[in-house]
Amino acid sequence: SDEIIGGNVSKYIVLPAGFCGQPKKGHLIFDACFESGNLGRVDHITEFEYDLFIRPDTCNPRFRVWFNFTVENVKESQ
């Protein structure tokens, strides 16, 4: 079932489960807090895999055919 995603992620740092401390290079920072941004949630799976949940289009909630967000803090091999 689809969960309702209310807003965009804003400078959301994705950390591995159980990680404590300051984020390191490679702990990705997702941001969609700008006009036309539509990333509602991010789940960490592995160092190289994330589940991204895109918010539905404002004018047509049945469709999720585009995406717009930024990613920061990547490391070279990522």
Side-chain angles (χ1 to χ4, degrees):
S1 68
D2 284 339
E3 290 183 31
I4 296 175
I5 300 172
N8 292 329
V9 296
S10 179
K11 296 288 182 180
Y12 181 70
I13 302 171
V14 181
L15 300 172
F19 179 84
C20 296
Q22 293 293 321
K24 299 178 182 179
K25 196 74 166 171
H27 291 156
L28 301 184
I29 303 170
F30 291 85
D31 187 32
C33 196
F34 48 85
E35 186 176 351
S36 78
N38 67 338
L39 183 61
R41 191 175 100 208
V42 180
D43 292 345
H44 179 269
I45 306 301
T46 70
E47 180 182 4
F48 300 105
E49 183 179 358
Y50 298 81
D51 281 343
L52 306 178
F53 296 84
I54 304 300
R55 288 187 317 99
D57 191 328
T58 303
C59 295
N60 195 344
R62 292 181 49 212
F63 297 103
R64 293 179 178 124
V65 296
W66 57 275
F67 54 90
N68 193 4
F69 57 90
T70 64
V71 180
E72 301 174 39
N73 203 38
V74 299
K75 62 183 177 182
E76 186 175 329
S77 65
Q78 209 169 12

